[in-house]
Amino acid sequence: MSPLRRNPALWAAGIAICSLAALELAGWALYKRTERLSERDLDSRLRALARWTALLVGPERAEALVSGEGWAADELAPTLKAASEEGNLENIYFFGPDLELKYDIRGYYRLSGGSFPPFALGPLLRAAAGQTSSSRLYKVGGSYLKSAYAPVRDEGGHVVAVIGVEGSAEYFSTLSHIRRYFVTFGLFGLLLATAVASLAYYALSWLSSAEEALARAEVSEAMGRMAAQMAHEIRNPLSIVRTAAVRLRSKYGESVDPKLVDFILEEVDRIKELTDHYLSLSREETINPEPCDLVVLVRDVVEVLPEDGPQVEVDLPPKPVVVNVDPNRIRQVLLNLLSNAEEAVSEVPDPRITVSLRRSRRGAYISVEDNGRGVPHEVREKIFHPFFTTKEKGSGLGLYIVRRIVRAHGGEVHLRSRPGRTSFVVFLPWKPNIR
């Protein structure tokens, strides 16, 4: 079962991330609603001020102002400036019927020599048609502004001028800062929550693996104790059977079928070897590390192999590879792996076994490769388990003992297999990290 399904802590982390995302979305929706309401309030205020200014000025003075008569500007300037300060306006504009800017209280029109950046045409056209309107927010010199326009009508209802009032939307700058901080901290919170959830997942995965390893160790320990007890019970009768077989041969000689005696001795020796393996399960794997040149060790192991077996090639580096290991135990590892390789290629027309050695920054790698039929996928996960075997007379302990020895050195052994190429790769650190 996966850690996610077994641990409520991961569910809690996932719920926390979803909650943060929901809060982020809710906060963003609140921000957008606040922005719309603030702009709507400013829009209503500016429209009211534009209508009030149009009534304050009146059609006669507005028409004189847009016609360029100086007395109108002198007469209206104090009133318009007071209205601007009272209404907290940035500027008040006057446009002629042709929508050309004629006057503004800040003097931008005069200072620019009659030219001025174009205004939003849509709201101006609606104001010239007799409808109070407003522009969208716009930015000038780093400040957010908004304008509203109102028509000035004569007694006949004709539009003789358009008055525009411009107000500051500084609240939008504040909202922009709030939005920036909100998004930043929201993303930071999500990243933090994701990081915490990831760490929790990997930590719980590691704990789950550790629990499984501990459970396997407990099962192996229990099986080892049982196997040791059975082995002790079997060894004494085996000794009696072997002694009896030897005495039969020496006493009766040719009258007893020698093949029968040899078969008894052979099977007794096989069972004795099997019980020795079982007894090794009950003992903790101990090593006596010392500096050892793996190049020499590998070459020595290959040289003692039977000559009638498949040919074994070696691929060794020219320089020594000295690692702190227990030479006798690593020799046993190599012999077990080579024995498996010989059995794997026993039915192959052109059997090949290769032992290679290479060094790395962390340690040394020994590979035993054969061109056998490969290891089936369904077997690979169980191949290092104790008592698991696919052979008729196998004990199922060879590869298990290999892994025990390698792990006792702080290393690891891995299987790589495909049809026609199977290799067991043993990693040994430079100095044993004894487990």
Side-chain angles (χ1 to χ4, degrees):
M1 187 179 294
S2 67
L4 181 62
R5 295 182 63 184
R6 293 196 307 175
N7 292 279
L10 285 181
W11 283 107
I15 292 173
I17 293 177
C18 294
S19 300
L20 281 173
L23 287 174
E24 179 80 6
L25 292 175
W28 181 258
L30 178 62
Y31 161 78
K32 295 301 291 184
R33 179 168 177 78
T34 302
E35 181 184 41
R36 287 194 298 268
L37 290 175
S38 299
E39 185 175 355
R40 187 183 303 171
D41 180 70
L42 178 62
D43 186 269
S44 299
R45 185 173 68 86
L46 290 177
R47 285 173 181 250
L49 287 172
R51 288 192 293 266
W52 175 72
T53 305
L55 293 174
L56 182 66
V57 173
E60 294 182 0
R61 289 188 293 184
E63 190 172 6
L65 191 62
V66 298
S67 299
E69 299 183 17
W71 66 267
D74 295 337
E75 183 178 327
L76 283 174
T79 303
L80 294 176
K81 287 184 178 180
S84 174
E85 293 175 359
E86 184 177 348
N88 195 24
L89 298 173
E90 294 294 320
N91 208 343
I92 299 177
Y93 304 102
F94 284 84
F95 300 87
D98 56 357
L99 301 183
E100 183 180 353
L101 178 64
K102 298 297 184 178
Y103 178 79
D104 69 286
I105 63 172
R106 301 297 183 192
Y108 298 151
Y109 171 73
R110 293 189 297 274
L111 291 174
S112 63
S115 63
F116 200 80
F119 291 84
L121 185 59
L124 279 172
L125 288 173
R126 288 193 291 273
Q131 179 183 355
T132 304
S133 60
S134 60
S135 69
R136 294 181 178 180
L137 286 172
Y138 54 91
K139 195 172 184 180
V140 176
S143 299
Y144 287 95
L145 303 171
K146 187 178 181 67
S147 296
Y149 307 96
V152 180
R153 303 174 184 271
D154 58 14
E155 293 180 356
H158 300 96
V159 177
V160 297
V162 173
I163 292 181
V165 296
E166 186 178 59
S168 173
E170 284 304 315
Y171 73 91
F172 194 79
S173 298
T174 304
L175 283 177
S176 296
H177 291 300
I178 293 175
R179 177 181 60 183
R180 191 177 301 115
Y181 293 139
F182 182 79
V183 171
T184 301
F185 284 111
L187 290 176
F188 177 76
L190 286 175
L191 290 175
L192 181 61
T194 304
V196 171
S198 300
L199 288 175
Y201 177 80
Y202 286 116
L204 291 173
S205 299
W206 181 84
L207 287 175
S208 177
S209 300
E211 289 176 359
E212 293 176 358
L214 181 60
R216 288 196 301 268
E218 291 176 350
V219 171
S220 297
E221 183 181 359
M223 295 178 68
R225 288 196 299 267
M226 180 182 67
Q229 184 176 356
M230 292 180 61
H232 280 298
E233 296 295 331
I234 293 173
R235 291 183 78 177
N236 289 334
L238 280 179
S239 299
I240 296 173
V241 172
R242 197 178 200 288
T243 303
V246 173
R247 290 188 64 182
L248 280 173
R249 171 182 287 174
S250 61
K251 184 175 181 179
Y252 296 100
E254 297 298 330
S255 61
V256 178
D257 187 355
K259 293 183 178 181
L260 178 61
V261 176
D262 290 341
F263 176 74
I264 293 173
L265 293 175
E266 180 182 338
E267 290 301 311
V268 167
D269 290 339
R270 188 178 68 83
I271 296 175
K272 182 179 181 300
E273 182 182 358
L274 187 60
T275 57
D276 290 339
H277 283 316
Y278 286 168
L279 282 173
S280 68
L281 294 177
S282 63
R283 297 190 294 267
E284 184 180 355
E285 195 68 47
T286 58
I287 61 172
N288 298 305
E290 61 183 63
C292 174
D293 184 1
L294 294 181
V295 174
V296 176
L297 179 64
V298 170
R299 189 175 287 118
D300 290 344
V301 170
V302 172
E303 287 178 356
V304 300
L305 295 176
E307 294 182 358
D308 57 347
Q311 183 178 359
V312 179
E313 300 177 356
V314 293
D315 181 11
L316 305 175
K319 296 182 180 180
V321 179
V322 180
V323 182
N324 282 300
V325 295
D326 187 329
N328 293 326
R329 308 300 282 155
I330 299 303
R331 184 177 286 106
Q332 182 181 357
V333 167
L334 290 174
L335 288 173
N336 284 8
L337 293 178
L338 286 168
S339 175
N340 280 0
E342 289 178 1
E343 293 181 4
V345 299
S346 60
E347 299 179 359
V348 176
D350 181 23
R352 292 190 308 275
I353 299 175
T354 304
V355 182
S356 60
L357 172 65
R358 65 181 180 88
R359 60 191 304 151
S360 70
R361 183 177 58 85
R362 297 170 52 237
Y365 289 88
I366 304 175
S367 173
V368 178
E369 181 179 308
D370 64 71
N371 64 337
R373 296 180 178 178
V375 180
H377 284 279
E378 62 272 12
V379 174
R380 295 178 188 178
E381 293 184 358
K382 307 175 184 178
I383 199 166
F384 291 106
H385 291 183
F387 309 115
F388 177 81
T389 181
T390 57
K391 307 170 188 175
E392 293 183 0
K393 296 185 177 181
S395 65
L397 294 174
L399 291 176
Y400 173 72
I401 292 173
V402 165
R403 188 171 66 172
R404 279 189 62 175
I405 295 173
V406 173
R407 286 186 171 181
H409 286 78
E412 192 54 84
V413 57
H414 297 284
L415 166 66
R416 299 172 183 170
S417 181
R418 66 171 187 263
R421 184 176 182 181
T422 298
S423 62
F424 287 89
V425 181
V426 175
F427 167 72
L428 296 170
W430 295 118
K431 292 184 179 180
N433 179 20
I434 300 176
R435 301 185 181 183

